[in-house]
Amino acid sequence: MSFEILRYEARHRVRSALGVSAAFSLMGLVFLALAPQIVAGSEVQGLADALPPQFRAAFGLESLTSVEGLLAGEYYTLFWGLFFGIYLAYSAAESVAGDVDAHRMETLLAAPVSRSRVLVEKFLSLLVPVLVASAVVPVVLYAGSWLVEEPLAVVDLAALHVLSIPYLLCCGAIGLGCSVVFDRAETARNAAVGTLFGLYLLESLVVGSDVAWLGSLAPMHYFDPNAILVGGTYDLGGALVLLGTTAALVLAGRVRFERMDVR
């Protein structure tokens, strides 16, 4: 058996990967079409400046005076960062628990394949939606920015999507962890979504407080679209933290899965 599980899972993720890519591309084009009118008015930024820093951080309102700031603060922070992350965590959460719930896992494990291999190949199949969307969406948004005569910096746009990959994989790893902790697929999915959203709120609400260090527990802390697209700065150390966390979560999930009683 040579990566059959990965190929099987990957094939089943192609359609959803294309759907996700189309949805994010369309959403991005809508933002680009509206952006010139929004950033032309100073009242929007004035309203954002009057809000508490926690509120601005929670909804990505740090900079609304440029197309890049609007995209980074709204589209990439909320839709790409939060919603895509939740989607991946939700999908990963049913990778093991779903098969256990449907009594497919015992049939799979009857084949000459280790549990470790099953878990790792199921996790790696998440690369299909991540890589497809990361390849399609920036091309569409870059072309769209030219159409509205507000061209985006191609290097910063490419860097943002490359640096989002470790973040998205970390979200998937959190879902995978829920998948081996809970026996029922529905419970695992709910736990994954709740965990990601809770970490997002935690990272946003502790900004500027005495317990701001708690924000470092959230994967969103290490992926800042505003810094990349507006400031042109890349947090490579943050990407390494996310990759290390992902590896640790997958390893912990592997240990848990090998000790699970699958019936």
Side-chain angles (χ1 to χ4, degrees), residues 15-259:
R15 181 176 294 180
S16 61
L18 295 176
V20 167
S21 301
F24 278 115
S25 296
L26 180 60
M27 182 64 68
L29 290 176
V30 170
F31 266 87
L32 281 171
L34 299 175
Q37 301 175 36
I38 295 175
V39 300
S42 60
E43 60 274 7
V44 176
Q45 183 62 52
L47 178 61
D49 290 341
L51 296 171
Q54 290 87 351
F55 194 91
R56 292 203 302 272
F59 293 96
L61 303 177
E62 287 88 346
S63 176
L64 299 178
T65 57
S66 67
V67 173
E68 291 84 355
L70 183 67
L71 277 178
E74 297 299 315
Y75 175 76
Y76 279 111
T77 297
L78 287 177
F79 291 93
W80 187 267
L82 179 60
F83 296 151
F84 197 10
I86 285 178
Y87 165 76
L88 290 169
Y90 183 92
S91 298
E94 64 181 10
S95 58
V96 173
D99 283 353
V100 172
D101 222 5
H103 303 289
R104 292 190 298 266
M105 185 59 74
E106 54 197 81
T107 303
L108 176 59
L109 294 179
V113 58
S114 68
R115 292 192 180 199
S116 174
R117 192 166 181 170
V118 171
L119 187 81
V120 171
E121 292 192 24
K122 279 180 173 288
F123 177 72
L124 289 178
S125 70
L126 291 176
L127 284 169
V128 174
V130 171
L131 295 181
V132 171
S134 297
V136 172
V137 172
V139 173
V140 173
L141 292 195
Y142 185 69
S145 70
W146 275 95
L147 291 177
V148 298
E149 300 181 346
E150 295 282 356
L152 298 169
V154 65
V155 175
D156 291 342
L157 184 62
L160 187 152
H161 279 273
V162 169
L163 292 175
S164 75
I165 292 174
Y167 163 76
L168 294 171
L169 289 178
C170 188
C171 294
I174 290 173
L176 186 74
C178 294
S179 189
V180 295
V181 169
F182 301 101
D183 293 333
R184 296 185 60 83
E186 183 178 359
T187 306
R189 290 193 295 262
N190 291 338
V193 173
T195 300
L196 253 294
F197 192 67
L199 289 171
Y200 170 76
L201 289 179
L202 173 68
E203 200 268 341
S204 301
L205 296 177
V206 299
V207 171
S209 69
D210 294 336
V211 291
W213 59 270
L214 285 173
S216 62
L217 299 175
M220 301 81 182
H221 182 76
Y222 305 97
F223 173 59
D224 187 352
N226 275 291
I228 300 171
L229 212 54
V230 179
T233 57
Y234 313 142
D235 185 5
L236 299 180
L240 291 176
V241 170
L242 290 169
L243 287 175
T245 304
T246 299
L249 288 171
V250 173
L251 181 60
R254 172 189 165 189
V255 172
R256 163 66 182 162
F257 185 46
E258 288 179 340
R259 297 177 178 177

